[in-house]
mmCIF file of all heavy atoms in Angstrom:
data_model
loop_
_atom_site.group_PDB
_atom_site.id
_atom_site.type_symbol
_atom_site.label_atom_id
_atom_site.label_comp_id
_atom_site.label_asym_id
_atom_site.label_seq_id
_atom_site.Cartn_x
_atom_site.Cartn_y
_atom_site.Cartn_z
ATOM 1 N N GLY A 30 17.053 -61.274 -14.083
ATOM 2 C CA GLY A 30 17.676 -61.902 -15.229
ATOM 3 C C GLY A 30 16.763 -62.895 -15.914
ATOM 4 O O GLY A 30 15.630 -63.158 -15.481
ATOM 5 N N TYR A 31 17.282 -63.474 -17.004
ATOM 6 C CA TYR A 31 16.570 -64.470 -17.806
ATOM 7 C C TYR A 31 17.467 -65.678 -17.942
ATOM 8 O O TYR A 31 18.632 -65.551 -18.359
ATOM 9 C CB TYR A 31 16.206 -63.899 -19.174
ATOM 10 C CG TYR A 31 15.279 -64.780 -19.973
ATOM 11 C CD1 TYR A 31 13.904 -64.705 -19.795
ATOM 12 C CD2 TYR A 31 15.776 -65.699 -20.888
ATOM 13 C CE1 TYR A 31 13.039 -65.508 -20.527
ATOM 14 C CE2 TYR A 31 14.929 -66.507 -21.621
ATOM 15 C CZ TYR A 31 13.558 -66.415 -21.439
ATOM 16 O OH TYR A 31 12.706 -67.215 -22.157
ATOM 17 N N ALA A 32 16.945 -66.849 -17.602
ATOM 18 C CA ALA A 32 17.752 -68.068 -17.576
ATOM 19 C C ALA A 32 17.588 -68.855 -18.868
ATOM 20 O O ALA A 32 16.460 -69.126 -19.310
ATOM 21 C CB ALA A 32 17.353 -68.937 -16.385
ATOM 22 N N PHE A 33 18.710 -69.227 -19.481
ATOM 23 C CA PHE A 33 18.760 -70.160 -20.599
ATOM 24 C C PHE A 33 19.406 -71.451 -20.061
ATOM 25 O O PHE A 33 20.563 -71.741 -20.355
ATOM 26 C CB PHE A 33 19.587 -69.600 -21.748
ATOM 27 C CG PHE A 33 19.052 -68.323 -22.324
ATOM 28 C CD1 PHE A 33 19.428 -67.097 -21.797
ATOM 29 C CD2 PHE A 33 18.168 -68.333 -23.387
ATOM 30 C CE1 PHE A 33 18.952 -65.907 -22.332
ATOM 31 C CE2 PHE A 33 17.683 -67.156 -23.926
ATOM 32 C CZ PHE A 33 18.076 -65.938 -23.397
ATOM 33 N N ASP A 34 18.651 -72.178 -19.231
ATOM 34 C CA ASP A 34 19.153 -73.381 -18.583
ATOM 35 C C ASP A 34 20.393 -73.055 -17.756
ATOM 36 O O ASP A 34 20.294 -72.454 -16.700
ATOM 37 C CB ASP A 34 19.437 -74.475 -19.611
ATOM 38 C CG ASP A 34 19.651 -75.835 -18.947
ATOM 39 O OD1 ASP A 34 19.068 -76.059 -17.876
ATOM 40 O OD2 ASP A 34 20.415 -76.661 -19.482
ATOM 41 N N ARG A 35 21.605 -73.397 -18.240
ATOM 42 C CA ARG A 35 22.820 -73.189 -17.458
ATOM 43 C C ARG A 35 23.340 -71.753 -17.511
ATOM 44 O O ARG A 35 24.251 -71.401 -16.760
ATOM 45 C CB ARG A 35 23.930 -74.133 -17.939
ATOM 46 C CG ARG A 35 23.672 -75.589 -17.605
ATOM 47 C CD ARG A 35 24.835 -76.461 -18.065
ATOM 48 N NE ARG A 35 24.645 -77.838 -17.651
ATOM 49 C CZ ARG A 35 25.007 -78.330 -16.480
ATOM 50 N NH1 ARG A 35 25.605 -77.546 -15.599
ATOM 51 N NH2 ARG A 35 24.794 -79.587 -16.182
ATOM 52 N N THR A 36 22.811 -70.925 -18.388
ATOM 53 C CA THR A 36 23.280 -69.545 -18.541
ATOM 54 C C THR A 36 22.218 -68.565 -18.062
ATOM 55 O O THR A 36 21.042 -68.693 -18.402
ATOM 56 C CB THR A 36 23.632 -69.251 -20.006
ATOM 57 O OG1 THR A 36 24.654 -70.156 -20.442
ATOM 58 C CG2 THR A 36 24.128 -67.818 -20.171
ATOM 59 N N LEU A 37 22.643 -67.586 -17.276
ATOM 60 C CA LEU A 37 21.758 -66.538 -16.768
ATOM 61 C C LEU A 37 22.313 -65.185 -17.192
ATOM 62 O O LEU A 37 23.451 -64.835 -16.863
ATOM 63 C CB LEU A 37 21.666 -66.606 -15.245
ATOM 64 C CG LEU A 37 20.882 -65.479 -14.549
ATOM 65 C CD1 LEU A 37 19.402 -65.592 -14.894
ATOM 66 C CD2 LEU A 37 21.076 -65.529 -13.042
ATOM 67 N N LEU A 38 21.529 -64.428 -17.944
ATOM 68 C CA LEU A 38 21.877 -63.051 -18.297
ATOM 69 C C LEU A 38 21.085 -62.116 -17.389
ATOM 70 O O LEU A 38 19.878 -62.316 -17.192
ATOM 71 C CB LEU A 38 21.562 -62.773 -19.763
ATOM 72 C CG LEU A 38 22.273 -63.665 -20.786
ATOM 73 C CD1 LEU A 38 21.877 -63.272 -22.200
ATOM 74 C CD2 LEU A 38 23.781 -63.603 -20.616
ATOM 75 N N PHE A 39 21.736 -61.085 -16.843
ATOM 76 C CA PHE A 39 21.066 -60.268 -15.830
ATOM 77 C C PHE A 39 21.484 -58.801 -15.913
ATOM 78 O O PHE A 39 22.513 -58.450 -16.478
ATOM 79 C CB PHE A 39 21.385 -60.797 -14.423
ATOM 80 C CG PHE A 39 22.832 -60.675 -14.028
ATOM 81 C CD1 PHE A 39 23.305 -59.519 -13.415
ATOM 82 C CD2 PHE A 39 23.733 -61.708 -14.269
ATOM 83 C CE1 PHE A 39 24.639 -59.392 -13.055
ATOM 84 C CE2 PHE A 39 25.063 -61.594 -13.911
ATOM 85 C CZ PHE A 39 25.516 -60.436 -13.304
ATOM 86 N N ALA A 40 20.644 -57.964 -15.309
ATOM 87 C CA ALA A 40 20.950 -56.549 -15.061
ATOM 88 C C ALA A 40 20.775 -56.311 -13.566
ATOM 89 O O ALA A 40 19.984 -56.992 -12.903
ATOM 90 C CB ALA A 40 20.032 -55.644 -15.863
ATOM 91 N N ALA A 41 21.525 -55.353 -13.027
ATOM 92 C CA ALA A 41 21.485 -55.102 -11.588
ATOM 93 C C ALA A 41 21.665 -53.609 -11.325
ATOM 94 O O ALA A 41 22.316 -52.894 -12.101
ATOM 95 C CB ALA A 41 22.568 -55.896 -10.857
ATOM 96 N N GLY A 42 21.105 -53.134 -10.227
ATOM 97 C CA GLY A 42 21.258 -51.728 -9.873
ATOM 98 C C GLY A 42 20.863 -51.483 -8.436
ATOM 99 O O GLY A 42 20.101 -52.251 -7.835
ATOM 100 N N GLY A 43 21.403 -50.388 -7.868
ATOM 101 C CA GLY A 43 21.070 -50.059 -6.493
ATOM 102 C C GLY A 43 22.050 -49.082 -5.878
ATOM 103 O O GLY A 43 22.523 -48.140 -6.528
ATOM 104 N N LEU A 44 22.391 -49.339 -4.627
ATOM 105 C CA LEU A 44 23.215 -48.434 -3.820
ATOM 106 C C LEU A 44 24.697 -48.778 -3.968
ATOM 107 O O LEU A 44 25.079 -49.948 -3.979
ATOM 108 C CB LEU A 44 22.803 -48.559 -2.363
ATOM 109 C CG LEU A 44 23.569 -47.717 -1.334
ATOM 110 C CD1 LEU A 44 23.225 -46.239 -1.490
ATOM 111 C CD2 LEU A 44 23.240 -48.201 0.086
ATOM 112 N N ALA A 45 25.539 -47.734 -4.042
ATOM 113 C CA ALA A 45 27.001 -47.889 -4.043
ATOM 114 C C ALA A 45 27.585 -47.033 -2.929
ATOM 115 O O ALA A 45 27.160 -45.885 -2.721
ATOM 116 C CB ALA A 45 27.594 -47.470 -5.386
ATOM 117 N N VAL A 46 28.540 -47.590 -2.203
ATOM 118 C CA VAL A 46 29.230 -46.888 -1.123
ATOM 119 C C VAL A 46 30.729 -47.123 -1.303
ATOM 120 O O VAL A 46 31.146 -48.228 -1.660
ATOM 121 C CB VAL A 46 28.781 -47.403 0.263
ATOM 122 C CG1 VAL A 46 29.445 -46.591 1.373
ATOM 123 C CG2 VAL A 46 27.271 -47.355 0.399
ATOM 124 N N ALA A 47 31.549 -46.075 -1.068
ATOM 125 C CA ALA A 47 32.998 -46.215 -1.267
ATOM 126 C C ALA A 47 33.766 -45.413 -0.236
ATOM 127 O O ALA A 47 33.327 -44.335 0.193
ATOM 128 C CB ALA A 47 33.393 -45.776 -2.670
ATOM 129 N N GLY A 48 34.926 -45.938 0.137
ATOM 130 C CA GLY A 48 35.867 -45.203 0.965
ATOM 131 C C GLY A 48 36.865 -44.491 0.067
ATOM 132 O O GLY A 48 37.656 -45.135 -0.635
ATOM 133 N N VAL A 49 36.810 -43.163 0.060
ATOM 134 C CA VAL A 49 37.579 -42.343 -0.880
ATOM 135 C C VAL A 49 38.546 -41.461 -0.113
ATOM 136 O O VAL A 49 38.212 -40.925 0.958
ATOM 137 C CB VAL A 49 36.627 -41.482 -1.743
ATOM 138 C CG1 VAL A 49 37.412 -40.602 -2.704
ATOM 139 C CG2 VAL A 49 35.648 -42.372 -2.506
ATOM 140 N N GLU A 50 39.736 -41.277 -0.659
ATOM 141 C CA GLU A 50 40.742 -40.416 -0.035
ATOM 142 C C GLU A 50 41.317 -39.464 -1.076
ATOM 143 O O GLU A 50 41.684 -39.891 -2.179
ATOM 144 C CB GLU A 50 41.861 -41.271 0.564
ATOM 145 C CG GLU A 50 42.881 -40.476 1.357
ATOM 146 C CD GLU A 50 43.922 -41.378 1.996
ATOM 147 O OE1 GLU A 50 44.155 -42.497 1.485
ATOM 148 O OE2 GLU A 50 44.510 -40.955 3.005
ATOM 149 N N SER A 51 41.376 -38.179 -0.726
ATOM 150 C CA SER A 51 41.988 -37.161 -1.583
ATOM 151 C C SER A 51 43.103 -36.468 -0.810
ATOM 152 O O SER A 51 42.959 -36.200 0.387
ATOM 153 C CB SER A 51 40.951 -36.120 -2.028
ATOM 154 O OG SER A 51 39.917 -36.719 -2.784
ATOM 155 N N LYS A 52 44.206 -36.178 -1.497
ATOM 156 C CA LYS A 52 45.330 -35.497 -0.862
ATOM 157 C C LYS A 52 45.860 -34.395 -1.769
ATOM 158 O O LYS A 52 45.770 -34.475 -2.997
ATOM 159 C CB LYS A 52 46.462 -36.484 -0.556
ATOM 160 C CG LYS A 52 46.146 -37.475 0.550
ATOM 161 C CD LYS A 52 47.354 -38.358 0.857
ATOM 162 C CE LYS A 52 47.067 -39.323 1.997
ATOM 163 N NZ LYS A 52 48.249 -40.165 2.315
ATOM 164 N N ALA A 53 46.401 -33.361 -1.118
ATOM 165 C CA ALA A 53 47.101 -32.283 -1.815
ATOM 166 C C ALA A 53 48.468 -32.113 -1.152
ATOM 167 O O ALA A 53 48.557 -32.057 0.078
ATOM 168 C CB ALA A 53 46.305 -30.987 -1.746
ATOM 169 N N PHE A 54 49.536 -32.059 -1.969
ATOM 170 C CA PHE A 54 50.907 -31.991 -1.461
ATOM 171 C C PHE A 54 51.545 -30.659 -1.854
ATOM 172 O O PHE A 54 51.442 -30.236 -3.013
ATOM 173 C CB PHE A 54 51.768 -33.117 -2.053
ATOM 174 C CG PHE A 54 51.277 -34.505 -1.747
ATOM 175 C CD1 PHE A 54 50.324 -35.117 -2.552
ATOM 176 C CD2 PHE A 54 51.779 -35.205 -0.660
ATOM 177 C CE1 PHE A 54 49.890 -36.395 -2.291
ATOM 178 C CE2 PHE A 54 51.344 -36.495 -0.388
ATOM 179 C CZ PHE A 54 50.401 -37.090 -1.198
#
């Protein structure tokens, strides 16, 4: 990011992990 004193603007990226559930009725 880039800091403007008290304000920080940023970009972020990387790994994502999720617990997912699918059902059929």
Side-chain angles (χ1 to χ4, degrees):
Y31 189 85
F33 299 88
D34 193 30
R35 290 182 175 274
T36 301
L37 174 68
L38 301 180
F39 65 88
L44 179 70
V46 184
V49 179
E50 186 177 25
S51 299
K52 290 184 178 181
F54 300 86

